[in-house]
Amino acid sequence: MTRTFTYQALPMRVRFGAGVLAQLPDEVAELGLHRVLVLCTPGQEATGRAVADALGDHAAGVLARARMHVPVEIARRARDLATQSDADGCVAVGGGSAIGLGKAIALEHGLPVIAVPTTYAGSEMTPVWGVTDNGVKRTGRDERVLPRSVFYDPELTLALPTATSAVSGMNALAHAVEGLYAPDATPLVSLMAAEGIRTLATALPRVVADGTDIDARSDAQLGAWLCGAVLGATTMSLHHKLCHVLGGTLDLPHAQTHAVVLPHALAYNQPAAPQAVSALSSALGAAADPAEELWELGRRLGTPRSLRELGMAEADLPRIADLAAADPYANPREVTADGIRLLLERAWAGDPPVSTRSVSKPQ
Ligand code: NAD
């Protein structure tokens, strides 16, 4: 069959390598910026201040208030501070929380964002924003929030605890896995997905064995870049929907939830996604069953095994299954509340993944 597809490249510059953060002042100048607001989480304030110091007069201040899922009050405060301090850009240093705050400012004021990711979540590669108001997270795609430049400096990830590194890496893997069976997958993006999975799956055990191994950290960042770019280029399916519902409804921790759900969501979809299974199998070292292999990888990395240990009550299973099946969305296999409930029961209990039903919709 002749291929037909549309591929849209995203405009951004990537600077990659140990010590590359020293080029940040050059980047600020090249983008024509004069005063940039540095954003980070409270836990990374020292790093944020060091970045601001390196920028000297070009730093408009440091806001160390970023939080998971970008609460609207914090987004408002950041937008006000950007206006008051005459900032013409932002530097977001940290994981998806800090970068998400930069995106919230960009969405309203159009200020360019420079992202300095220190986790493997992948937000720096996407035009996807999210803001949470009264417990409800709104998300959208807008090219204004896509970071103009991204600095991958593995030295900044050395302090990321190995347990956080492992779950964050599983979060990145999830983007690439779903990118392989996305309705808008393209040959280039599928290559990036397969290589991102291969790179991360081999780097993460080395990171967990020795968090100070800068080569392993560098490889993990390369994998995270590729997986994040897949997230930015494709439409996600069942796995991301489930994690969104679990996080939004029960406030389960983001990366840990991804780590638990991924093998189960993949097992559900595998019978209807033969091309993705074949690419995954190669990327994971000729794995006979990629879902099982990812479950094993999580075990080796010491990631949480069950939704129960993340604090989910068994009584919530039917409600979450109904919510995840409520609105139609692209998925290789038909999504039914019963199918999701069976999948979730295993994820909740920490059982190994299995395909629960026969295929009902071809890819
Ligand atoms: P995070 O940014 O909340 O960071 C997790 C914790 O790790 C924080 O306490 C942070 O201070 C700490 N930390 C980060 N880097 C560190 C380092 N190098 N050393 C020590 N501590 C460090 O977590 P995350 O998983 O990166 O991001 C999750 C958020 O990002 C969620 O809100 C999620 O919805 C969002 N996200 C968005 C996209 C997108 O495309 N829009 C993609 C992925 C994730």
Side-chain angles (χ1 to χ4, degrees):
M1 197 172 66
T2 318
R3 296 176 203 269
T4 307
F5 58 85
T6 302
Y7 170 71
Q8 171 75 53
L10 293 175
M12 55 170 32
R13 176 163 41 230
V14 171
R15 299 197 190 226
F16 191 102
V20 85
L21 189 65
Q23 298 169 14
L24 183 60
D26 297 342
E27 186 65 31
V28 168
E30 255 183 73
L31 291 176
L33 304 177
H34 299 99
R35 283 173 65 73
V36 290
L37 183 61
V38 178
L39 308 166
C40 58
T41 52
Q44 289 223 282
E45 186 162 359
T47 311
R49 297 225 168 266
V51 168
D53 288 346
L55 288 167
D57 290 347
H58 294 297
V62 177
L63 182 65
R65 290 291 185 91
R67 287 224 345 246
M68 192 83 86
H69 303 312
V70 195
V72 71
E73 316 77 57
I74 294 176
R76 276 195 203 114
R77 166 130 197 223
R79 288 161 174 167
D80 290 348
L81 187 61
T83 308
Q84 287 155 15
S85 62
D86 255 343
D88 56 4
C90 295
V91 176
V93 185
S97 298
I99 295 166
L101 188 56
K103 289 176 167 181
I105 298 174
L107 189 65
E108 185 149 312
H109 293 318
L111 298 193
V113 179
I114 298 175
V116 184
T118 62
T119 71
Y120 306 125
S123 177
E124 67 280 1
M125 280 291 133
T126 83
V128 179
W129 57 268
V131 175
T132 305
D133 192 358
N134 257 330
V136 179
K137 185 167 179 178
R138 284 183 303 121
T139 59
R141 289 178 92 92
D142 192 316
E143 283 223 7
R144 278 179 304 166
V145 310
L146 182 76
R148 297 278 182 88
S149 314
V150 180
F151 281 70
Y152 286 108
D153 187 335
E155 286 178 2
L156 293 169
T157 63
L158 294 174
L160 187 67
T162 53
T164 317
S165 303
V167 288
S168 179
M170 292 295 276
N171 184 187
L173 284 171
H175 308 328
V177 166
E178 292 232 292
L180 282 171
Y181 51 64
D184 42 6
T186 57
L188 179 68
V189 174
S190 296
L191 283 173
M192 290 161 68
E195 184 59 14
I197 290 163
R198 192 191 64 73
T199 308
L200 258 179
T202 46
L204 289 175
R206 292 160 56 217
V207 167
V208 167
D210 178 4
T212 66
D213 179 344
I214 190 108
D215 292 334
R217 290 290 192 177
S218 174
D219 287 351
Q221 271 195 320
L222 181 58
W225 169 15
L226 292 166
C227 293
V230 174
L231 176 66
T234 54
T235 304
M236 297 289 105
S237 299
L238 173 65
H239 168 79
H240 281 74
K241 172 73 176 187
L242 269 175
C243 292
H244 185 85
V245 171
L246 286 163
T249 315
L250 305 176
D251 204 24
L252 297 192
H254 179 82
Q256 289 83 344
T257 304
H258 274 269
V260 171
V261 172
L262 179 60
H264 299 279
L266 176 59
Y268 183 91
N269 276 336
Q270 272 184 172
Q275 285 176 5
V277 171
S278 155
L280 277 164
S281 172
S282 312
L284 293 169
D289 182 331
E292 211 177 286
E293 185 64 27
L294 286 178
W295 198 74
E296 272 303 310
L297 176 65
R299 193 186 53 72
R300 289 204 302 281
L301 297 176
T303 58
R305 306 271 70 200
S306 66
L307 294 174
R308 174 170 42 190
E309 72 190 270
L310 299 184
M312 180 180 182
E314 190 170 14
D316 283 322
L317 287 169
R319 178 162 68 109
I320 296 296
D322 286 345
L323 282 171
D327 307 313
Y329 48 89
N331 194 61
R333 182 171 165 190
E334 188 186 7
V335 174
T336 63
D338 281 352
I340 301 303
R341 196 174 39 74
L342 291 172
L343 175 173
L344 280 175
E345 279 170 6
R346 300 191 74 81
W348 182 83
D351 292 336
V354 287
S355 295
T356 47
R357 287 265 175 90
S358 59
V359 184
S360 46
K361 181 183 165 192
Q363 193 182 20

